[in-house]
Amino acid sequence: MKTHSDSKITKDTPFQGLACNGFLMIFVSILLFAAAIFFVYITDTYEPEVIGSAVYGILCTSAILLFIISPVLLIGLMILEPNQARAMVFFGKYRGTFSRTGFFWVNPFYSKKKVSLRARNINVDPIKVNDRNGNPILVGLILVWKVEDVYKAIFEIDTQNIAASKAGIMTALESFVRVQSDAALRQVAGNYAYDNLGIE
């Protein structure tokens, strides 16, 4: 029997994973780094015969692990401003949308795709179309739009070609909306007569 947690998430859902205070995790990372330095100091000060070879080996191993873990933890830090969201992806699997504002720490292995939820404007240049009667007319459009569903915006629209840049995802979404609005404008303009002369 397939449970809800096993089913594939195919719609925008809130992120339910662990999210800690970012300042707390910075403090923890500093403590781990300090502990690693302390272990190095102990192993450098005392000979293995004094503290025991087993303890010496444990201290050396712990120091190496802490030197690796402490900076890796910092990768999980993220800042989220108002009207921003991040799609959390764990090794290719969508785990939800994080939309709480502030400074947080999440699992460093999450891929965090940032999306702006702010309203945006598109000024579509006038295009020549035929109205319902076949008369050529020029029609322009000013469109105000915003992202409502982060999952669809990230995973149902191809944003891979230009997503490498900092604003790549939003640029791809704006390009998508521009093309769709152009097509919608042509369709709407063709459904009505510019000069209504009683022809239905």
Side-chain angles (χ1 to χ4, degrees):
M1 181 178 178
K2 182 182 288 187
T3 62
H4 176 69
S5 59
D6 296 330
S7 61
K8 182 180 179 183
I9 301 176
T10 57
K11 62 180 182 178
D12 197 20
T13 56
F15 178 68
Q16 301 295 334
L18 176 66
C20 301
N21 185 289
F23 296 105
L24 174 64
M25 293 309 296
I26 289 178
F27 180 71
V28 170
S29 182
I30 292 173
L31 284 182
L32 294 178
F33 192 78
I37 294 176
F38 177 73
F39 291 159
V40 169
Y41 171 77
I42 293 296
T43 55
D44 189 52
T45 304
Y46 299 98
E47 296 294 331
E49 294 79 12
V50 176
I51 59 176
S53 58
V55 175
Y56 186 85
I58 292 174
L59 290 176
C60 290
T61 304
S62 300
I64 294 172
L65 290 177
L66 291 177
F67 272 126
I68 295 173
I69 292 173
S70 56
V72 169
L73 287 178
L74 298 178
I75 299 175
L77 297 173
M78 67 175 183
I79 299 175
L80 212 59
E81 299 175 0
N83 283 325
Q84 284 187 342
R86 289 182 186 260
M88 311 300 287
V89 182
F90 186 71
F91 292 105
K93 289 187 177 181
Y94 171 71
R95 294 299 186 185
T97 299
F98 195 97
S99 56
R100 285 186 288 165
T101 59
F103 184 41
F104 296 96
W105 178 90
V106 294
N107 187 329
F109 296 103
Y110 276 111
S111 174
K112 303 174 280 289
K113 301 176 182 291
K114 185 165 66 173
V115 178
S116 174
L117 304 180
R118 297 169 181 149
R120 290 173 172 247
N121 296 327
I122 290 182
N123 186 5
V124 179
D125 295 331
I127 56 175
K128 183 179 288 187
V129 297
N130 293 331
D131 67 1
R132 186 175 181 180
N133 297 332
N135 300 318
I137 57 174
L138 286 175
V139 180
L141 172 69
I142 296 178
L143 178 68
V144 180
W145 67 279
K146 62 184 291 188
V147 174
E148 291 287 346
D149 190 314
V150 175
Y151 179 87
K152 288 182 179 180
I154 296 292
F155 300 108
E156 294 188 6
I157 298 173
D158 186 11
T159 59
Q160 300 302 315
N161 295 332
I162 53 178
S165 64
K166 185 176 181 181
I169 291 177
M170 294 311 298
T171 303
L173 292 177
E174 185 170 336
S175 176
F176 175 81
V177 172
R178 184 178 294 275
V179 172
Q180 294 299 313
S181 62
D182 183 273
L185 181 60
R186 292 177 183 275
Q187 181 178 359
V188 170
N191 290 335
Y192 299 94
Y194 178 73
D195 290 323
N196 191 351
L197 301 177
I199 300 176
E200 298 292 340

